[in-house]
Amino acid sequence: MPSIAQLEKLLAADPADTFVLYGLAQEHAKQKNFGEAVAFYDRCLAVDPGYCYAYFHKARAQQAMGDLAGAKVTAQAGVQAAHRAGDGKALSELSTLQVELAEAR
């Protein structure tokens, strides 16, 4: 995966590139910069509300930050997006995450 600096250069060329926005979110999450990660997942979803895995990883980042309520809302939105997109794999993963979050304290 390219570095954050490399991804930021790509984003400057196309601020609506969902792949780059998602990549930046993933890189920030890897570095445990969960607030930044959530912000980039949000930007990705603003451009493409059907980007199902952005919901999954955003919910994970929110969970890591201790925002369980937010993670649950995000996972539910992701399930709805996966239904609309007909993405069975994402639907399965997001549904499993929903159950995990419901059991979390």
Side-chain angles (χ1 to χ4, degrees):
M1 186 62 128
S3 71
I4 288 175
Q6 291 168 320
L7 288 167
E8 286 174 343
K9 285 182 186 176
L10 292 172
L11 188 62
D14 183 1
D17 186 324
T18 55
F19 182 75
V20 174
L21 290 165
Y22 180 79
L24 277 161
Q26 291 289 86
E27 287 303 306
H28 280 288
K30 277 189 214 176
Q31 293 182 12
K32 301 194 183 320
N33 297 329
F34 299 115
E36 285 292 316
V38 167
F40 278 105
Y41 290 127
D42 282 341
R43 288 179 61 187
C44 177
L45 291 167
V47 174
D48 181 2
Y51 206 113
C52 297
Y53 287 100
Y55 292 100
F56 180 90
H57 291 288
K58 176 185 174 186
R60 285 284 190 209
Q62 289 171 306
Q63 181 183 26
M65 292 181 349
D67 181 9
L68 190 57
K72 289 176 182 180
V73 169
T74 298
Q76 178 59 39
V79 164
Q80 293 169 352
H83 269 296
R84 284 190 302 273
D87 187 334
K89 184 173 183 335
L91 178 59
S92 174
E93 291 181 17
L94 283 156
S95 295
T96 299
L97 177 60
Q98 264 191 312
V99 170
E100 178 186 319
L101 293 169
E103 295 171 352
R105 301 249 184 291

